[in-house]
C-alpha cells in the first residue's frame, strides 16, 4: 500500500493542519441541520481526505465499508453510458464529468433514485444520505441546473458534498445553496511536519535539506510530496537513512513524457512530426492525464525554451485552446491544434518572419 493511503487520516481530529477548519466541521456534523457543502481548494490540499472524515463523523466507521458498482444510463438518443459508483450504506460517490456532456443524464436519474429512497440503516445518527460529487467544477451547465433542482426538491433525504478545485465554474444558484468550505494548500512547514511523521512511523531518517527540497518543489501539493518521498525511499529500500545527494528530485513518468514530447516538437516542425505527437498525446490521455495538465506542462516547457517575444502569443493560444477543450468533448483535437499553432509560430520566429499580432 502506498504511504499516501496508508497514512491518510481517517478522522477530522487527526488531521495535521487547518485545525480550526476541522473543529468547525466537527461541530457542523454534530448539528441536526447539516447543510449541502461545497468543498474547494487546490489539488493536494486534502479536500477528499476531509470529505471522507466528515462521513465518518456523521455515520461512524460504517461509512468506510465501501463497494464499487457500475450503473448504466440511457440517454435521450438511446445511447448507453456507464459510470462507476462508490457507495456505502450511508453515501454514494460519483464523478459525473467522466461521461462528458452526458453528465446531466447521470445527475437527473441517479440523484432522483437516491433521493426517493429513505435511509436504510435505522440505527444511523443521520436520516439522510450523502452524495459526494467529485470534480464538480467540470460539470456542464445543464448538469448543474439539474443538480440545483434536485437540491431544492429532495433536501430532506439527501445532502450533497461537492468537491471542486475552483468555484468559478459553478453556477451562482448552486453556490448560494451550499456552505462553501475552502481548503487552502498546506504550507511548506505543514508538509515537512507530515513527512517527518511518516518517516518516524516507518522508522526512517532523512536530512532536513531533503525534506525542505521536496517541500519547495511540490507546489504545496501534499499528495505529490508524499509520493516523492516514497519514490526516494524505493530507490534504496533497505537503507534506514534517506540521503540528499544534491541531484534533482525524480519527476513522474507522465511529466518526463511531456518533456520528451516538447523536445520532439522543438526538433522538427512538420506534418509527420504532428502525427508522432498525436500518438504521444493519445498515450497521455489514455493514462488519465487531464488535458488541462498537458496544456499547462507543455506551456511551461515551451516558455523556458523559446524567445521571450513568443511568450504572450503562447499564453494566449493555450488559454484559447484550453477553453475550447473544456467546451467540447474531444480534447485531442484542441491539444493537436495547439501543437500545430506552436509549430507555425516557432517556424516563423526561426525564419525571422513577423509574428502574428495578439
Amino acid at each position: 500500500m502506498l504511504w499516501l493511503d496508508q497514512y491518510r487520516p481517517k478522522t477530522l481530529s487527526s488531521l495535521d493542519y487547518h485545525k480550526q477548519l476541522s473543529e468547525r466541521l466537527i461541530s457542523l456534523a454534530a448539528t441536526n441541520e447539516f447543510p449541502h457543502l461545497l468543498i474547494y481548494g487546490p489539488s493536494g490540499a486534502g479536500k477528499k481526505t476531509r470529505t471522507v472524515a466528515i462521513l465518518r463523523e456523521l455515520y461512524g466507521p460504517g461509512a468506510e465499508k465501501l463497494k464499487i458498482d457500475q450503473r448504466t444510463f440511457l440517454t435521450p438518443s438511446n445511447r448507453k453510458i456507464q459510470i462507476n459508483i462508490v457507495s456505502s450504506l450511508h453515501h454514494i460517490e460519483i464523478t459525473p464529468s467522466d461521461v462528458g456532456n452526458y453528465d446531466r443524464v447521470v445527475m437527473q436519474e441517479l440523484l432522483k433514485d437516491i433521493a426517493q429512497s429513505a435511509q436504510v440503516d435505522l440505527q444511523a445518527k443521520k436520516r439522510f444520505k450523502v452524495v459526494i460529487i467529485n470534480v464538480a467544477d467540470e460539470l456542464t451547465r445543464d448538469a448543474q441546473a439539474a443538480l440545483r433542482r434536485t437540491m431544492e426538491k429532495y433536501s430532506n433525504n439527501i445532502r450533497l458534498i461537492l468537491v471542486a478545485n475552483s468555484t468559478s465554474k459553478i453556477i451562482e444558484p448552486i453556490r448560494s445553496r451550499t456552505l462553501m468550505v475552502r481548503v487552502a494548500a498546506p504550507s511548506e512547514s505543514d508538509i515537512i511536519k507530515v513527512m517527518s511523521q511518516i518517516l518516524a512511523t516507518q522508522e526512517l531518517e532523512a536530512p532536513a535539506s531533503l525534506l525542505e527540497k521536496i517541500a519547495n518543489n511540490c507546489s504545496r501539493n501534499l499528495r505529490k510530496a508524499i509520493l516523492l518521498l516514497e519514490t526516494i525511499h524505493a530507490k534504496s529500500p533497505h537503507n534506514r537513512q534517506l540521503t540528499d545527494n544534491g541531484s534533482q528530485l525524480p519527476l513522474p513518468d507522465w511529466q518526463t513524457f511531456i518533456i520528451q514530447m516538447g523536445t520532439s516538437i522543438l526538433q522538427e516542425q512538420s506534418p509527420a512530426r504532428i502525427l508522432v505527437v498525436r500518438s504521444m498525446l493519445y498515450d497521455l490521455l489514455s493514462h488519465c492525464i487531464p488535458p488541462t495538465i498537458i496544456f499547462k506542462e507543455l506551456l511551461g516547457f515551451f516558455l523556458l525554451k523559446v524567445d521571450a517575444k513568443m511568450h504572450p502569443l503562447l499564453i494566449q493560444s493555450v488559454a484559447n485552446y484550453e477553453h475550447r477543450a473544456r467546451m467540447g468533448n474531444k480534447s485531442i483535437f484542441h491539444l493537436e491544434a495547439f501543437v500545430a499553432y506552436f509549430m507555425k509560430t516557432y517556424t516563423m520566429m526561426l525564419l525571422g518572419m513577423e509574428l502574428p499580432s495578439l
Side-chain angles (χ1 to χ4, degrees):
M1 182 184 291
L2 292 173
W3 288 354
L4 189 65
D5 298 313
Q6 186 177 350
Y7 297 107
R8 187 188 300 273
K10 296 186 182 300
T11 62
L12 289 169
S13 58
S14 62
L15 287 163
D16 298 293
Y17 54 95
H18 301 334
K19 291 287 189 182
Q20 194 172 8
L21 173 60
S22 298
E23 290 169 4
R24 287 203 299 268
L25 291 174
I26 290 171
S27 62
L28 194 65
T31 66
N32 293 323
E33 298 297 327
F34 187 78
H36 301 298
L37 295 181
L38 171 53
I39 300 178
Y40 66 100
S43 181
K47 302 185 297 294
K48 190 63 180 296
T49 299
R50 275 173 170 72
T51 301
V52 174
I54 289 171
L55 288 176
R56 187 182 176 94
E57 199 70 34
L58 286 170
Y59 301 110
E64 297 172 6
K65 297 176 181 177
L66 304 176
K67 64 176 181 177
I68 301 177
D69 297 319
Q70 191 172 68
R71 287 279 300 272
T72 302
F73 298 91
L74 198 63
T75 68
S77 59
N78 290 326
R79 176 178 176 176
K80 290 183 178 179
I81 55 173
Q82 293 182 326
I83 188 169
N84 291 326
I85 298 173
V86 179
S87 63
S88 72
L89 281 176
H90 311 288
H91 86 286
I92 71 161
E93 180 181 338
I94 55 175
T95 309
S97 58
D98 286 348
V99 295
N101 289 339
Y102 295 107
D103 54 0
R104 177 180 60 84
V105 178
V106 175
M107 301 301 295
Q108 285 179 328
E109 299 299 324
L110 185 61
L111 294 183
K112 183 179 177 182
D113 290 346
I114 297 165
Q116 289 179 340
S117 60
Q119 173 67 265
V120 175
D121 188 356
L122 298 177
Q123 303 299 319
K125 294 186 287 183
K126 305 294 181 183
R127 299 295 297 153
F128 53 79
K129 264 195 171 183
V130 171
V131 179
I132 299 172
I133 300 177
N134 293 319
V135 206
D137 47 338
E138 296 294 333
L139 292 173
T140 62
R141 294 188 74 85
D142 285 344
Q144 292 190 46
L147 181 61
R148 181 193 67 180
R149 290 191 292 271
T150 303
M151 293 169 72
E152 293 172 346
K153 191 172 182 180
Y154 301 111
S155 58
N156 289 334
N157 287 354
I158 64 171
R159 293 293 185 277
L160 298 176
I161 298 181
L162 310 180
V163 183
N165 289 332
S166 168
T167 61
S168 60
K169 297 176 189 172
I170 296 176
I171 60 176
E172 176 58 31
I174 288 182
R175 282 185 282 168
S176 65
R177 287 166 173 80
T178 57
L179 175 64
M180 297 170 63
V181 178
R182 180 174 180 268
V183 181
S187 65
E188 292 181 3
S189 59
D190 290 330
I191 291 172
I192 292 173
K193 177 183 175 184
V194 172
M195 290 192 293
S196 299
Q197 290 173 348
I198 291 174
L199 291 173
T201 308
Q202 288 283 326
E203 298 181 353
L204 298 172
E205 294 181 0
S209 60
L210 177 61
L211 299 184
E212 289 174 3
K213 183 188 290 187
I214 293 173
N216 291 335
N217 286 274
C218 70
S219 304
R220 294 177 64 190
N221 184 325
L222 182 58
R223 183 192 306 114
K224 183 177 179 181
I226 296 174
L227 288 172
L228 278 172
L229 185 67
E230 187 169 8
T231 301
I232 293 170
H233 171 61
K235 289 185 175 181
S236 52
H238 302 296
N239 292 344
R240 310 312 297 174
Q241 173 76 39
L242 305 186
T243 57
D244 180 10
N245 56 15
S247 61
Q248 286 190 332
L249 294 171
L251 292 174
D253 291 343
W254 62 267
Q255 208 165 356
T256 304
F257 192 71
I258 290 178
I259 291 173
Q260 292 172 356
M261 181 170 62
T263 304
S264 175
I265 294 169
L266 290 174
Q267 288 171 347
E268 181 184 334
Q269 298 81 46
S270 67
R273 185 53 55 98
I274 289 180
L275 288 176
V276 173
V277 172
R278 176 188 294 172
S279 65
M280 298 177 82
L281 289 171
Y282 270 124
D283 282 345
L284 288 166
L285 293 171
S286 66
H287 285 84
C288 300
I289 305 301
T292 52
I293 297 296
I294 300 175
F295 277 121
K296 179 182 175 182
E297 293 293 327
L298 262 183
L299 175 64
F301 176 79
F302 288 147
L303 291 180
L304 292 173
K305 299 294 182 179
V306 302
D307 194 281
K309 63 185 178 182
M310 273 190 70
H311 290 187
L313 277 175
L314 290 182
I315 293 169
Q316 185 191 49
S317 63
V318 161
N320 179 34
Y321 289 115
E322 184 186 358
H323 175 69
R324 292 182 184 182
R326 288 180 181 275
M327 298 304 291
N329 57 4
K330 289 288 185 182
S331 302
I332 185 68
F333 294 161
H334 310 289
L335 286 164
E336 193 173 339
F338 168 65
V339 170
Y341 177 85
F342 172 81
M343 286 186 174
K344 182 190 79 169
T345 52
Y346 187 62
T347 302
M348 291 173 68
M349 187 193 73
L350 292 178
L351 295 175
M353 298 171 64
E354 185 178 352
L355 295 176
S357 57
L358 289 173

